[in-house]
Amino acid sequence: MQMKDVAQTFEYLKQFLTDERLRKIEHFSQDSSDFVLPVMEDIYQFRNAAAIVRSVEACGFHKVVAMEEENVFNPNLTVTKGAETWVEVKKMPKTISSLQEIKNEGYKILAVSPEKNAAMLPDYEITEPIALVFGTELEGVSEEVLDFADETLAIPMYGFTKSFNVSVAAGICMYELKQKLLKSGIEYKLNEEKLLQMKIRWAVNSIRSGNQILEQYLKT
């Protein structure tokens, strides 16, 4: 859709929203960002998938990439607390080609791992869009992803335990990076077209039979 069409589509969908829901969409969309893109590498525990989606949404990042191989990224809705309404989950095959596609969109690939002389999260300076790759619960980030990544990023550990649960690690990283962006002066928020597209998705997810209403409108 062209910019004008996107704006008109959202204006059309507004009539199906309650005033309260529209106010929330307008309010929370303003700080939304895809400057940090979480990428999950074949996560298999649905509670972890759900906790990641919830943390991502709470920090104002509304997109997740789930690279699937043996496991389906399927969040537990009792854990997400409704975050799945707002977070777009893009599913891709677990391949280097998928990461290359993300890189081609302008993202630096950062693997969350202590390997390869990792930068420490508190010291990391975010200057450009980053795709943050989290590995599986048992194996961590795969060797092929580590080899492909532009950099690695590690969370400092202060006890005998050598790593956080993947959903905890994702929550820590997303929150810390959001704080860095807030203080950076970087223009990290969505541009006008992406913002409108997200509002349309949120509106559709908020309306009963929203997809059918949107499809019917686009046919006219």
Side-chain angles (χ1 to χ4, degrees):
M1 285 188 286
Q2 296 180 348
M3 187 68 180
K4 182 180 178 182
D5 296 331
V6 175
Q8 289 174 341
T9 299
F10 183 59
E11 284 298 317
Y12 174 77
L13 293 173
K14 279 183 179 181
Q15 66 183 301
F16 299 99
L17 297 169
T18 64
D19 291 343
E20 181 183 4
R21 179 52 59 98
L22 180 58
R23 279 196 301 270
K24 287 183 175 180
I25 287 175
E26 294 289 4
H27 175 74
F28 289 113
S29 64
Q30 293 309 308
D31 201 52
S32 186
S33 173
D34 59 0
F35 204 86
V36 179
L37 179 66
V39 179
M40 309 301 153
E41 191 182 7
D42 211 30
I43 300 293
Y44 67 85
Q45 291 187 359
F46 59 81
R47 291 186 69 85
N48 282 334
I52 290 165
V53 168
R54 186 174 173 182
S55 294
V56 168
E57 199 287 320
C59 292
F61 300 105
H62 291 103
K63 186 173 181 179
V64 168
V65 173
M67 295 201 303
E68 298 178 335
E69 186 177 52
E70 297 178 5
N71 305 296
V72 175
F73 190 87
N74 187 25
N76 181 337
L77 301 186
T78 63
V79 179
T80 58
K81 300 296 184 183
E84 76 286 348
T85 300
W86 315 113
V87 177
E88 177 187 359
V89 177
K90 182 178 181 180
K91 296 189 176 185
M92 304 178 77
K94 182 182 165 293
T95 63
I96 293 301
S97 295
S98 293
L99 284 180
Q100 184 63 59
E101 186 178 325
I102 293 169
K103 190 169 184 174
N104 292 344
E105 293 174 3
Y107 288 95
K108 176 183 280 190
I109 307 297
L110 262 67
V112 179
S113 169
E115 309 288 335
K116 310 277 186 182
N117 298 314
M120 288 293 136
L121 178 60
D123 303 323
Y124 185 76
E125 184 177 351
I126 182 167
T127 59
E128 60 187 302
I130 59 174
L132 220 54
V133 186
F134 296 90
T136 61
E137 289 88 343
L138 291 177
E139 305 285 327
V141 179
S142 66
E143 225 21 78
E144 62 176 355
V145 171
L146 286 172
D147 289 340
F148 180 82
D150 297 301
E151 294 182 52
T152 53
L153 188 68
I155 303 170
M157 307 297 298
Y158 303 104
F160 290 104
T161 303
K162 296 301 182 185
S163 65
F164 286 106
N165 168 280
V166 64
S167 64
V168 174
I172 291 171
C173 287
M174 301 311 295
Y175 185 83
E176 182 76 14
L177 290 167
K178 179 59 178 282
Q179 300 311 304
K180 290 176 183 290
L181 286 174
L182 288 169
K183 298 170 185 174
S184 69
I186 293 173
E187 184 49 64
Y188 67 88
K189 298 179 184 180
L190 297 177
N191 62 34
E192 189 176 357
E193 183 174 359
K194 284 184 176 180
L195 185 64
L196 278 167
Q197 288 171 343
M198 189 184 69
K199 286 180 178 180
I200 289 170
R201 182 166 52 80
W202 285 5
V204 167
N205 289 345
S206 300
I207 300 166
R208 182 174 294 181
S209 303
N211 283 310
Q212 291 91 325
I213 289 171
L214 177 62
E215 287 173 13
Q216 189 63 41
Y217 171 75
L218 293 177
K219 288 178 183 178
T220 60

